[in-house]
Amino acid sequence: MRYRLLVILCVFALGAFAQDKPLAGLVFDRNTKERIALVNIRNLRNGQSVYNNLKAEFRIQGQPGDLLVLSKMGYFTDTIKVQAKGDVLAYLKASSIVLKPVNVRDTVLSAQKRLEQTKRDYTKVYGSLARRDLLTLSPGAGAGLSIDAIWNMISRSGRNAAHLRELIEQDYKLNVIDQRFNRTLVEKVTGLKDQQLTNFMNRYRPSYYQASTASDYEFLSWIKGNLKRFKRNPNYIAQDPFASTPQQ
C-alpha cells in the first residue's frame, strides 16, 4: 500500500511538469558582474527548486511568464520573470559589501575551514536530510526500508539537499587544489610570471588526489618536471583549465 502511494505521488509530481520545458540560466553579482554559485532558484508556479552549479549555471522546468525566486546567503532575494526567448540571466545584489583580499593565499580561509563554515551556513542539507537512514528497525520485525527515507530521496527537497552537498564537496576539492597549487608557490619554483605563469597553472593543474596526497618533495618535483615540458611550447594554452594532465 505504501509503495502504491509513492507511485501515485510520483505520477502526480511528473504531471505537474508535463507542459514545462527545461530553462537554462546564469546568475551574476549585480555590482561585480562575476558569476555566483550555490544559488537556490525556485519556480513559483510548479514549485520546482534547484541550485545552480559551480559555474553559476542552472536548468529548471518552466515556461514563459513563470516567476523564479532566487535566494542565497549574503544576497538580497530577487524575483525574475521568464521571457519567451533566450536564457534566463539573473543579477543578485549583495546584502553587504565584501572586500576582496589583496594577498589571496595568505588571507583567505583554508579549504577545510571554508568547508566547515559552508556546512554551518547550510545546516539543513547537513542536518536531518543528510542523516536519514534507509533502514528502519521495528520491534519484532527486524530491519526494513524506511518509507520516509525513500520519499526524501525522490522528493525535491531531498534531491536538492543531495545536489547541494555534491556542489559543496566539489567546491571543497577545488579549494584544496588552489591552496596547494597557488601562484606564489608556482612562481617561486618555476620563475614564471604574468601570462606564462597563468598558462602553466592552467595546463598542469593537478587532480584533487594528487594535491591532497603528494608529499612536499613529490609535489615540487612534479612542478619542476612539468616546467621542462612547458618550456618546449610555452605559448600553448590548455583548453580545459581544470585538466589534471597536460594536453599537448
Side-chain angles (χ1 to χ4, degrees):
M1 183 63 183
R2 289 183 176 181
Y3 294 104
R4 184 178 299 174
L5 178 59
L6 284 177
V7 172
I8 294 174
L9 289 172
C10 290
V11 172
F12 177 77
L14 291 173
F17 300 106
Q19 304 301 320
D20 292 341
K21 63 177 182 179
L23 303 174
L26 284 168
V27 186
F28 300 90
D29 184 293
R30 184 177 299 176
N31 295 323
T32 66
K33 301 303 185 291
E34 294 180 350
R35 297 190 180 196
I36 310 172
L38 304 181
V39 178
N40 181 258
I41 301 96
R42 181 165 57 92
N43 188 323
L44 290 180
R45 181 184 58 80
N46 59 28
Q48 187 185 19
S49 177
V50 300
Y51 284 92
N52 66 343
N53 60 27
L54 297 179
K55 295 181 180 180
E57 303 165 343
F58 69 88
R59 294 182 71 86
I60 190 170
Q61 294 292 326
Q63 52 189 267
D66 285 355
L67 295 178
L68 303 181
V69 177
L70 295 89
S71 59
K72 176 181 173 64
M73 293 189 64
Y75 288 84
F76 292 108
T77 299
D78 197 8
T79 302
I80 61 175
K81 187 176 182 179
V82 177
Q83 302 301 316
K85 296 182 180 180
D87 292 342
V88 179
L89 301 181
Y91 295 85
L92 295 183
K93 182 179 180 181
S95 56
S96 58
I97 299 176
V98 180
L99 297 178
K100 291 187 176 181
V102 176
N103 192 335
V104 178
R105 288 301 117 192
D106 294 336
T107 56
V108 299
L109 292 174
S110 70
Q112 184 61 39
K113 288 183 178 179
R114 290 178 65 178
L115 176 62
E116 293 171 357
Q117 180 62 50
T118 302
K119 286 185 175 182
R120 287 193 291 269
D121 291 341
Y122 293 91
T123 54
K124 186 175 180 180
V125 299
Y126 286 97
S128 59
L129 289 176
R131 292 194 295 267
R132 295 273 180 86
D133 198 334
L134 283 176
L135 293 178
T136 58
L137 295 176
S138 302
L145 287 175
S146 168
I147 298 301
D148 288 339
I150 294 175
W151 175 246
N152 179 64
M153 289 176 63
I154 65 175
S155 68
R156 284 192 294 271
S157 59
R159 288 198 306 271
N160 286 334
H163 180 54
L164 182 55
R165 287 197 300 273
E166 291 177 2
L167 291 177
I168 291 172
E169 178 67 17
Q170 293 174 26
D171 189 48
Y172 164 71
K173 290 181 178 180
L174 294 179
N175 288 334
V176 169
I177 297 173
D178 290 339
Q179 185 174 299
R180 189 90 186 267
F181 193 65
N182 60 78
R183 292 183 71 89
T184 301
L185 171 67
V186 177
E187 181 178 352
K188 184 176 181 180
V189 174
T190 64
L192 299 174
K193 296 181 182 295
D194 303 325
Q195 188 59 47
Q196 281 202 335
L197 176 61
T198 300
N199 291 346
F200 178 87
M201 294 187 68
N202 285 345
R203 194 190 306 185
Y204 297 101
R205 183 178 174 84
S207 66
Y208 167 72
Y209 177 81
Q210 184 175 12
S212 60
T213 60
S215 66
D216 289 341
Y217 176 79
E218 292 171 335
F219 200 71
L220 293 178
S221 297
W222 174 79
I223 293 176
K224 292 177 181 178
N226 284 329
L227 177 62
K228 295 179 180 179
R229 301 183 183 91
F230 178 80
K231 288 182 176 180
R232 298 172 192 164
N233 187 8
N235 296 320
Y236 173 84
I237 300 177
Q239 298 299 315
D240 182 5
F242 296 106
S244 57
T245 57
Q247 305 291 327
Q248 293 191 20

